[in-house]
Amino acid sequence: MRIAAVIVAAGSGIRAGGEIPKQYVTVGGRSIVQRSIDAFASIEGVSEIRAVIHPGAGSLYAAALSGTGPALGAPVVGGKSRQASVLAGLEALAASEPDYILIHDAARPFVSGAVIDRVLDALKIHPGAIPALPVADTLKRDGGDGTICETVSRDGLWRAQTPQGFRFRDILDAHRRAAAAGRDDFTDDAAIAEWAGLRVSLVDGEPQNVKITTAEDVAEARSRFEVAMMLEPRIGTGFDVHRFTQGSGVWLCGVEIPHTHKLEGHSDADVALHALTDALLGTIGDGDIGQHFPPSDPQWKGAASHLFLADAARRVRARGGKIANVDITILAEAPRIGPHRAAMQARVAEILAIARDRVGVKATTMEELGAIGRREGIVAMANALVLFPFSPKDLS
Ligand code: MG
């Protein structure tokens, strides 16, 4: 049995506040559209998933994807209405012609596998099936003047959710006929199926399968989700040493400090930023600075080391990491660090895009002991603490 899913993400969604349409907003470390895609990618038998996006939203969509499985095909550009967008998604699947199709609003990222399974089970019997919840509130009709003219019976009334499942051929034909008949006002696919005379069964939906429409919905989803999500702290350490050579200043923490010597190295030899880069890479087990920026590569000759640090921060953030704090200790007899500490702290905060009080810069001499004490070079050590999204299943 071949099952495909269409994820309808074509809304411009400006209601959710802010400039980014709601389906591209991040909730609990993943975008809403990614969560919706993931819900289907994990269902057995789902072999193809296509997202339908707003014209011109290609780069927003690509940026919102944090990981894609083999089932996810290229996005399809939607039409003027939800109905037209779904039809575009179905047409994109026409060539591969799956047996069943699940049509899901990207704005319902919390759909459970149990709901999807119930819809698929019902499709063995009926041409269509949707999850729905009984209406619990008493319904009133107003008379147009702000007062009630009628209490409407809620008997037999249901609130429709998605995914709405159909036999693929049936719903494609129904959509094509509706479009040919000039109808563009259907607000869900079950309505088109009903119009086409298909029987659509109701299965139990779930209250948490909410549609995220407003900025309040986004905030509520985040707070609800963040309670359920744990943050995993991870620590990285870094160490580096560079020797002095002839020169007139040293780079430390991205700040140039006048001195009787400079530090020897292939790049600008900023020993502190090198140690910190390694500390950040350590939190994601992603090698070290020499692996990503080999000294043998001529393009890094004389390079400013903030490039290395910014790259490590990007790698950490690509995995959902939030840099909680970094702490640097510099071991040097000279130059004196104290007068430059505030500038160094500010520069590191700027490179990492974090607050200054999350950056520690400390220095000590070696009491004239050893190589550093003999003023042969400078050592730097760094720690980084990064918080990552985490769920208990990550442990397995
Ligand atoms: Mg180094």
Side-chain angles (χ1 to χ4, degrees), residues 242-266:
H242 282 251
R243 69 171 71 235
F244 283 128
T245 187
Q246 287 196 333
S248 58
V250 295
W251 283 93
L252 287 171
C253 292
V255 174
E256 192 171 24
I257 301 173
H259 188 48
T260 54
H261 292 77
K262 69 170 188 173
L263 290 172
E264 193 173 82
H266 190 70

Side-chain angles (χ1 to χ4, degrees), residues 4-344:
V6 167
I7 308 296
V8 189
S12 55
I14 40 175
R15 262 185 305 173
E19 282 144 23
I20 300 180
K22 60 186 178 298
Q23 60 272 34
Y24 303 123
V25 163
T26 298
V27 171
R30 267 187 296 162
S31 68
I32 287 173
V33 67
Q34 177 79 58
R35 288 187 172 281
S36 291
I37 289 168
D38 289 349
F40 291 86
S42 60
I43 299 292
E44 196 183 339
V46 171
S47 54
E48 192 169 2
I49 301 172
R50 301 296 285 265
V52 185
I53 64 173
H54 196 260
S59 53
L60 261 180
Y61 171 72
L65 291 186
S66 48
T68 60
L72 186 64
V76 178
V77 174
K80 282 199 170 65
S81 62
R82 183 188 183 284
Q83 184 185 330
S85 293
V86 172
L87 178 55
L90 295 174
E91 294 289 4
L93 289 162
S96 58
E97 199 166 349
D99 300 299
Y100 294 146
I101 180 76
L102 297 164
I103 302 167
H104 185 66
D105 292 329
R108 295 185 189 268
F110 301 128
V111 61
S112 72
V115 166
I116 298 171
D117 285 343
R118 283 200 285 274
V119 170
L120 287 172
D121 278 348
L123 287 180
K124 291 170 188 161
I125 305 164
H126 302 282
I130 71 165
L133 290 174
V135 173
D137 297 326
T138 298
L139 299 176
K140 305 292 185 186
R141 177 168 285 127
D142 74 69
D145 62 353
T147 64
I148 296 164
C149 74
E150 186 189 6
T151 295
V152 182
S153 169
R154 67 188 180 208
D155 281 358
L157 290 185
W158 296 77
R159 294 187 288 138
Q161 299 186 333
T162 70
Q164 302 195 341
F166 305 92
R167 294 172 189 161
F168 179 76
R169 209 9 95 183
D170 290 349
I171 197 68
L172 177 60
D173 288 346
H175 259 278
R176 284 175 174 169
R177 281 166 49 205
R183 294 289 303 266
D184 64 356
D185 53 335
F186 292 109
T187 54
D188 75 352
D189 305 290
I192 294 171
E194 295 155 39
W195 173 82
L198 300 171
R199 284 182 75 79
V200 180
S201 109
L202 293 164
V203 303
D204 286 339
E206 284 179 346
Q208 70 265 30
N209 185 18
V210 289
K211 186 167 184 179
I212 296 178
T213 308
T214 65
E216 290 74 35
D217 295 338
V218 172
E220 194 181 318
R222 281 185 175 150
S223 64
R224 232 178 23 163
F225 195 84
E226 274 150 21
V227 168
M229 188 185 68
M230 288 184 271
L231 285 175
E232 177 188 32
R234 296 196 193 178
I235 288 173
T237 67
F239 179 95
D240 199 20
V241 56
H242 282 251
R243 69 171 71 235
F244 283 128
T245 187
Q246 287 196 333
S248 58
V250 295
W251 283 93
L252 287 171
C253 292
V255 174
E256 192 171 24
I257 301 173
H259 188 48
T260 54
H261 292 77
K262 69 170 188 173
L263 290 172
E264 193 173 82
H266 190 70
S267 64
D268 63 9
D270 189 327
V271 63
L273 291 192
H274 293 183
L276 184 53
T277 300
D278 272 357
L280 280 178
L281 292 173
T283 66
I284 51 173
D286 192 3
D288 61 20
I289 189 171
Q291 179 187 328
H292 295 294
F293 303 98
S296 55
D297 187 337
Q299 71 169 307
W300 308 121
K301 183 161 173 54
S305 296
H306 67 82
L307 298 174
F308 308 152
L309 182 60
D311 182 73
R314 180 190 59 75
R315 287 169 186 274
V316 161
R317 292 198 169 105
R319 299 190 190 200
K322 257 178 130 66
I323 301 170
N325 77 304
V326 299
D327 194 16
I328 299 162
T329 301
I330 297 167
L331 282 62
E333 297 298 319
R336 286 187 61 220
I337 304 301
H340 307 283
R341 185 202 310 270
M344 292 161 65

